[in-house]
Amino acid sequence: MADKVRLRIAPSPTGDPHVGTAYMALFNKAFAHGRGGKFILRIEDTDQSRYNEGSEREIIESLRWLDLLPDEGPGIGGDYGPYVQTQRRELYTRHANELIEKGKAYRCFCTPQRLEEMRREQAARKEPPGYDRRCYRLSPQEIQANLDAGLPFTVRMLVPDEGSTAFTDLIRGEISFENRVLDDQIILKSDGLPTYHLAVVVDDHYMEISHIVRAEEWISSTPKHILLFQGLGWELPMFAHLPLLRNTDRTKISKRKNNTSIKWYRQQGYLPEAMVNFLALMGWSMPNGEETFTFEDVQREFTFERVTTSGPVFDLVKLTAINGKYIRLLSDGELYERLLPYLPEGLDEARVRQAVPVIKDRLTRLGEFAELTVYLFGPPPAYDAATLVPKKSTPEAARAALERIRQLLESIAEPWTHEEWEGGMRALAAELGMKAGDAFMVLRVAVTGSQTSPPLFESIEILGKEETLRRVDEALAKLGGTSDEG
RNA sequence: GGCGCAUUCGUCUAGAGGCCUAGGACAUCUCCCUUUCAAGGAGAAGAUCAGGGGUUCGAAUCCCCUAUGCGCUACCA
């Protein structure tokens, strides 16, 4: 393992691909690649009860979307496979047995019921919970008898009573734990599969992981892992614990209080590069203070010294602002291409391309495009006649103005431009003694169905004479002959 | 409860003893631009650096204590 740089993420395939996984992938890959190393994906599927079919594929798909694909992993290849833990069972059993032989672990025949009862009693006595080592005291004969009787068992690591286990966290510095506060953790479950603690140690060793870079929540497990590494006589990797992403209430980011699925962000139309930029801003910053940057920048500049130690709140508002910025940075052609997956079926390509520059500054997520432009691709949304009437005006005045606008409409020959239209409308407003804005507003509502819309004259240019005329007539009809809607 | 990690504007952060009467970004507010909404530009407001003790000529920066938050405390990861 000497001087190779190899980092990994080890997600569990338990549901939708999680933003926390992307967050870890970002820094692991950036550091590995920045140091000429490899970035590995390992699937930790040892909990069959939480296993989710398809989750592995979606994790990879999400990483691909974010351009954070690993160099090695399931379905990707590499010399250290298999990269799925259930395919490595034999390795874990072998080392669990090795630990038993070395006296660093022991079989435990306690039933889940007894363990639960034990914990309840400990809680009642206000004692810290932990295994009472009943099975550690079993004689060889008793153990053999249990084995012969076919009793199910787990394997527990034997934690020393004395001393302490310390390590240097690359981000936080020296961290130390008294061994006596460490539980005799189960490392091999009765179904023969390892728990996280054994699996992670065995795999990180065999996959020659040089730096374990994971979330803060693993700090308290680290001494157990170190004890296991040492028990097996293996060299220790480096450790770095990144801060945990938080909900607004500062608890660990969760599905209940946040959108944790990467799929959701993709569906909403967040750009992957905006997502990566935002995530990199959580707990890290560029040395030059630049806040808009690429993955390549992170790769080049990443150091553990610049990682913060407190958990950042995942702020959707800020992500959205960054996303809008990235959208505006796109050329019209690029934006059009990026929009494609978010467009409803059957939209006219030429018209979409015309709409892109008009809508770009108003877009914060690609998924918004369809909604912002409905009026360009179908009839305007329903609206009240009252909406047509500008403040401090009357339905009669609005109707009169609209009638004149209709005349103007008919008088201008196609192809028309928004400049022509604006000129015509300004002259008309002056003639009518209306404020230009009010005249525009009447037309705006007639054309878009709303008092707030993308630029009016560009919209009219896109819609064309016939359709605009139709909408003006419709508005006129709404205004009718009376003012009782007012 | 035990153990661990943390604590700078509402949020993300800069800051590694004097450059800090604490800087930037998002959000907020105001103004400009302007046909609405945006975008853009210019400003404003917003943090006695959790609190208290030290160390030092000098502390957001070093040490200690307290408080608070979070995490772990499963045959989940």
Side-chain angles (χ1 to χ4, degrees):
Chain A
M1 120 160 44
D3 43 27
K4 274 191 283 185
V5 172
R6 293 174 56 80
L7 282 80
R8 95 295 116 132
I9 51 166
S12 292
T14 52
D16 279 350
H18 200 277
V19 287
T21 302
Y23 183 56
M24 290 302 138
L26 163 62
F27 291 116
N28 274 277
K29 181 170 180 173
F31 180 78
H33 283 197
R35 301 275 295 265
K38 297 286 188 212
F39 169 52
I40 294 110
L41 168 66
R42 181 172 70 227
I43 297 294
E44 310 231 318
D45 61 344
T46 55
D47 184 358
Q48 323 130 294
S49 65
R50 296 202 307 158
Y51 181 76
N52 181 291
E53 182 80 44
S55 183
E56 175 186 322
R57 189 183 39 82
E58 287 188 336
I59 288 169
I60 294 172
E61 194 40 51
S62 294
L63 293 175
R64 184 194 317 281
W65 176 63
L66 292 165
D67 202 14
L68 293 175
L69 272 183
D71 305 303
E72 299 173 24
I76 291 157
D79 299 332
Y80 297 79
Y83 293 93
V84 175
Q85 288 185 330
T86 46
Q87 295 169 22
R88 318 179 112 237
R89 294 179 75 125
E90 188 273 333
L91 213 45
Y92 310 122
T93 357
R94 199 207 305 165
H95 289 105
N97 288 332
E98 182 186 337
L99 286 166
I100 294 174
E101 281 158 28
K102 287 179 167 173
K104 311 266 190 191
Y106 56 93
R107 293 185 182 81
C108 176
F109 298 91
C110 292
T111 62
Q113 295 69 232
R114 158 158 146 79
L115 295 175
E116 196 187 318
E117 192 180 323
M118 178 192 73
R119 271 191 291 268
R120 212 170 40 234
E121 285 168 9
Q122 286 168 335
R125 278 182 264 122
K126 295 197 190 295
E127 287 172 6
Y131 184 56
D132 60 6
R133 288 198 169 159
R134 178 199 270 208
C135 289
Y136 176 57
R137 292 185 290 267
L138 254 32
S139 69
Q141 298 72 231
E142 287 172 306
I143 294 172
Q144 195 51 55
N146 284 163
L147 255 20
D148 291 342
L151 253 45
F153 64 88
T154 62
V155 176
R156 286 181 185 275
M157 64 184 289
L158 179 65
V159 176
D161 295 315
E162 316 235 301
S164 61
T165 302
F167 63 99
T168 303
D169 187 283
L170 261 18
I171 295 168
R172 292 153 207 271
E174 206 70 21
I175 298 178
S176 168
F177 292 82
E178 299 277 331
N179 288 336
R180 60 180 170 74
V181 307
L182 269 26
D183 198 8
D184 280 359
Q185 202 69 229
I186 289 180
I187 56 173
L188 201 70
K189 298 181 271 190
S190 57
D191 65 3
L193 283 168
T195 58
Y196 176 81
H197 305 289
L198 210 217
V200 79
V201 167
V202 169
D203 289 342
D204 285 339
H205 171 73
Y206 281 102
M207 293 184 182
E208 298 183 17
I209 300 304
S210 59
H211 299 68
I212 296 183
V213 179
R214 80 245 280 201
E216 193 182 358
E217 55 186 329
W218 295 109
I219 292 177
S220 12
S221 301
T222 303
K224 295 169 190 167
H225 302 166
I226 289 174
L227 255 14
L228 253 16
F229 272 109
Q230 290 170 340
L232 261 0
W234 293 339
E235 192 184 337
L236 285 176
M238 307 277 251
F239 292 94
H241 292 91
L242 295 170
L244 215 40
L245 258 21
R246 309 283 186 91
N247 296 312
T248 312
D249 63 5
R250 301 217 169 260
T251 50
K252 169 163 95 167
I253 194 166
S254 66
K255 204 171 168 179
R256 276 308 300 179
K257 299 172 181 173
N258 249 299
N259 299 294
T260 55
S261 169
I262 300 169
K263 288 198 295 183
W264 184 84
Y265 294 93
R266 186 177 186 172
Q267 281 159 202
Q268 291 293 308
Y270 286 93
L271 303 180
E273 59 270 41
M275 197 79 197
V276 165
N277 192 157
F278 170 70
L279 252 16
L281 247 14
M282 305 269 89
W284 188 75
S285 58
M286 288 276 280
N288 66 2
E290 185 56 62
E291 303 200 10
T292 303
F293 52 81
T294 65
F295 174 77
E296 285 65 35
D297 294 324
V298 184
Q299 186 177 305
R300 191 184 59 250
E301 302 288 357
F302 181 85
T303 53
F304 288 110
E305 295 72 57
R306 294 199 65 80
V307 177
T308 60
T309 42
S310 60
V313 171
F314 188 98
D315 183 3
L316 190 60
V317 174
K318 181 149 184 173
L319 202 211
T320 305
I322 291 174
N323 202 54
K325 185 168 186 172
Y326 272 85
I327 287 176
R328 274 171 258 130
L329 251 20
L330 259 24
S331 71
D332 292 348
E334 284 168 336
L335 180 51
Y336 171 77
E337 297 294 331
R338 300 281 208 120
L339 240 17
L340 254 25
Y342 298 88
L343 264 21
E345 290 292 306
L347 253 39
D348 179 61
E349 177 182 336
R351 184 164 285 200
V352 174
R353 284 186 183 278
Q354 276 181 294
V356 164
V358 177
I359 235 68
K360 188 150 89 176
D361 285 350
R362 292 160 182 78
L363 214 50
T364 63
R365 290 168 280 122
L366 298 177
E368 284 176 327
F369 184 85
E371 189 190 340
L372 286 172
T373 58
V374 267
Y375 72 96
L376 289 175
F377 297 95
Y383 60 93
D384 286 341
T387 315
L388 284 161
V389 183
K391 278 197 193 87
K392 288 190 261 180
S393 186
T394 62
E396 291 73 20
R399 185 185 165 84
L402 209 49
E403 263 159 7
R404 293 287 287 112
I405 290 170
R406 193 184 190 290
Q407 287 170 15
L408 177 66
L409 194 53
E410 286 198 301
S411 74
I412 299 181
E414 283 193 290
W416 55 20
T417 65
H418 62 268
E419 289 90 348
E420 261 179 285
W421 255 101
E422 184 169 347
M425 281 294 289
R426 282 189 190 284
L428 181 66
E431 178 199 320
L432 293 171
M434 285 179 86
K435 280 193 292 186
D438 283 350
F440 294 179
M441 186 55 81
V442 179
L443 219 208
R444 179 189 309 286
V445 175
V447 169
T448 69
S450 167
Q451 290 191 345
T452 60
S453 80
L456 175 59
F457 302 114
E458 280 88 339
S459 298
I460 288 177
E461 184 178 331
I462 294 172
L463 284 168
K465 186 169 183 171
E466 193 186 324
E467 177 60 21
T468 307
L469 210 47
R470 179 160 40 240
R471 293 184 185 191
V472 168
D473 284 337
E474 209 172 296
L476 245 13
K478 272 185 197 287
L479 251 12
T482 59
S483 58
D484 55 5
E485 286 116 320

